[in-house]
């Protein structure tokens, strides 16, 4: 999945490559994909996109927001796959689910793997879009303080039995831009088992979790995202996850215990049964 560090990396690269370009034509791609979610039909995409100029591009949580002047914005997010820039048509992938063809004959394509949202909204709708806006502060914002995070965790009651994994990556209070990918390393660093009940986590553990979120995001952003994902130029990011499918069955780097895998809440969880209580 494209999580916050990948979003920021790609948004920065898009500002460099396509900001100021005018769209000659655009479409919903050449391939049907059941889990590509659009908010408009193909005709509307083909009608709205031509003649628009790419304005500022920003990253917010799991979303890349591209202003299309005048009056619109393209929202890409909650997505697995690739967002690629092409100097010419030779590198365009076989299957894609959005194409922008610019007047200088360069291109942007989006190819979804798994699922993803591609939306064109009016500018006035961006701030209230039900997918692209979050109720929780971004973990990299200045206002995401320990007190704020502590209060958020304490808002869960014991009877809810909500697990830490559920809290972090699902529901209205999920951590913006953090998905199942970075979650593995965050919980490993915080020494918390993915199934632990949120309301039963101690203050010391909340502190550790807060630090783990900050550290993991900072490191991954500096390294341009995960090495399992591609940037705008089809290059891998520089962040290697501590726990992933390749580390299952291998010794924990802290204590040597074998890393385990469980299927939990619609995705794999990897953990050290000794370090993560
Ligand atoms: Zn361990």
């Amino acid at each position: 999945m494209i999580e916050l560090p990948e979003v920021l990396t790609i948004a920065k690269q898009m500002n460099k490559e396509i900001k100021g370009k005018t769209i000659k034509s655009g479409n919903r791609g050449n391939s049907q994909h059941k889990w590509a979610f659009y908010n408009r039909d193909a005709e509307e995409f083909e009608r709205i996109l031509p003649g628009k100029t790419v304005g500022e591009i920003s990253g917010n949580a799991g979303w890349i927001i591209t202003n299309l002047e005048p009056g619109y914005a393209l929202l890409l997010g909650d997505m697995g796959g690739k967002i690629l820039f092409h100097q010419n048509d030779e590198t365009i992938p076989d299957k894609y689910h959005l194409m922008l063809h610019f007047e200088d004959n360069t291109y942007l394509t989006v190819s979804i793997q798994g699922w993803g949202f591609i939306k064109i909204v009016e500018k006035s709708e961006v701030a209230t879009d039900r997918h692209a806006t979050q109720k929780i502060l971004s973990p990299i914002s200045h206002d995401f303080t320990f007190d704020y995070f502590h209060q958020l965790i304490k808002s869960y009651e014991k009877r809810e039995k909500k697990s830490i994994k559920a809290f972090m990556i699902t529901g209205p209070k999920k951590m913006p831009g953090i998905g199942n990918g970075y979650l593995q390393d965050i919980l490993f660093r915080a020494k918390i088992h993915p199934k632990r009940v949120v309301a039963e986590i101690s203050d010391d553990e909340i502190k550790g979790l807060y630090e783990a979120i900050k550290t993991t995001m900072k490191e991954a952003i500096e390294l341009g995202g995960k090495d399992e994902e591609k940037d705008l130029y089809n290059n891998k990011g520089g962040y290697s996850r501590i726990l992933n499918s390749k580390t299952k069955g291998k010794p924990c780097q802290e204590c040597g215990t074998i890393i385990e895998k469980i299927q939990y809440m619609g995705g794999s969880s990897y953990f050290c049964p000794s370090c993560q209580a």
Side-chain angles (χ1 to χ4, degrees):
M1 284 296 284
I2 296 175
E3 298 169 80
L4 179 59
E6 292 82 44
V7 159
L8 295 180
T9 301
I10 294 168
K12 193 173 163 187
Q13 294 170 334
M14 284 172 69
N15 270 312
K16 181 167 175 273
E17 297 297 346
I18 66 165
K19 195 168 124 185
K21 292 194 180 198
T22 301
I23 298 168
K24 188 193 276 183
S25 64
N27 60 60
R28 286 186 13 170
N30 63 357
S31 166
Q32 293 273 339
H33 185 52
K34 196 177 166 190
W35 306 103
F37 302 111
Y38 302 93
N39 67 327
R40 296 173 187 270
D41 61 29
E43 289 73 27
E44 280 185 282
F45 270 67
E46 286 165 29
R47 178 177 59 78
I48 293 170
L49 291 170
K52 297 292 182 296
T53 299
V54 177
E56 188 69 26
I57 297 138
S58 59
N60 176 32
W63 289 80
I64 295 170
I65 298 150
T66 303
N67 284 308
L68 299 177
E69 312 291 357
Y72 288 89
L74 171 68
L75 308 180
L76 304 171
D78 266 357
M79 180 181 286
K82 291 184 190 179
I83 300 168
L84 297 175
F85 174 67
H86 310 276
Q87 290 289 357
N88 52 55
D89 61 6
E90 287 167 22
T91 54
I92 290 172
D94 292 343
K95 285 185 181 176
Y96 53 87
H97 307 105
L98 178 78
M99 174 183 280
L100 302 181
H101 178 191
F102 301 106
E103 284 191 339
D104 63 356
N105 286 326
T106 59
Y107 301 81
L108 182 94
T109 58
V110 177
S111 301
I112 291 175
Q113 279 165 5
W115 68 86
F117 288 84
I118 298 176
K119 301 175 75 168
I120 296 174
V121 301
E122 289 184 28
K123 233 176 189 177
S124 59
E125 299 169 326
V126 175
T128 54
D129 184 79
R130 71 190 177 95
H131 296 112
T133 55
Q134 282 77 35
K135 292 188 173 65
I136 303 300
L137 290 171
S138 168
I140 58 165
S141 77
H142 280 295
D143 295 333
F144 185 83
T145 60
F146 173 68
D147 284 345
Y148 174 81
F149 184 65
H150 187 261
Q151 268 187 8
L152 199 61
I153 290 218
K154 290 293 178 190
S155 69
Y156 287 99
E157 294 177 34
K158 281 206 167 95
R159 62 178 167 75
E160 289 180 78
K161 291 282 175 204
K162 198 176 190 72
S163 74
I164 192 69
K165 178 170 179 176
F167 158 71
M168 291 282 291
I169 66 167
T170 66
K173 289 194 262 188
K174 77 187 279 293
M175 288 292 105
I178 296 177
N180 198 41
Y182 289 107
L183 179 71
Q184 312 301 321
D185 286 8
I186 290 170
L187 294 182
F188 178 77
R189 286 181 162 132
K191 299 189 186 308
I192 297 173
H193 190 284
K195 287 189 173 176
R196 280 282 299 285
V197 173
V198 176
E200 292 171 0
I201 288 173
S202 72
D203 281 356
D204 277 353
E205 286 176 319
I206 298 173
K207 185 80 186 166
L209 183 58
Y210 175 77
E211 294 301 335
I213 291 170
K214 287 285 204 184
T215 307
T216 305
M217 286 296 104
K218 184 169 182 286
E219 203 178 304
I221 290 164
E222 282 170 5
L223 292 168
K226 296 185 285 283
D227 59 6
E228 299 135 293
E229 300 290 344
K230 299 292 181 66
D231 68 7
L232 194 66
Y233 309 111
N234 211 16
N235 294 322
K236 287 178 183 178
Y239 181 91
S240 299
R241 286 196 293 153
I242 305 166
L243 297 186
N244 60 31
S245 58
K246 294 186 195 105
T247 51
K248 181 203 159 201
K250 300 229 170 79
C252 165
Q253 63 176 40
E254 294 288 323
C255 74
T257 305
I258 297 301
I259 298 296
E260 290 182 11
K261 173 190 177 181
I262 50 170
Q263 282 300 329
Y264 176 50
M265 293 195 50
S268 304
S269 281
Y270 303 92
F271 62 96
C272 171
S274 299
C275 291
Q276 292 172 257

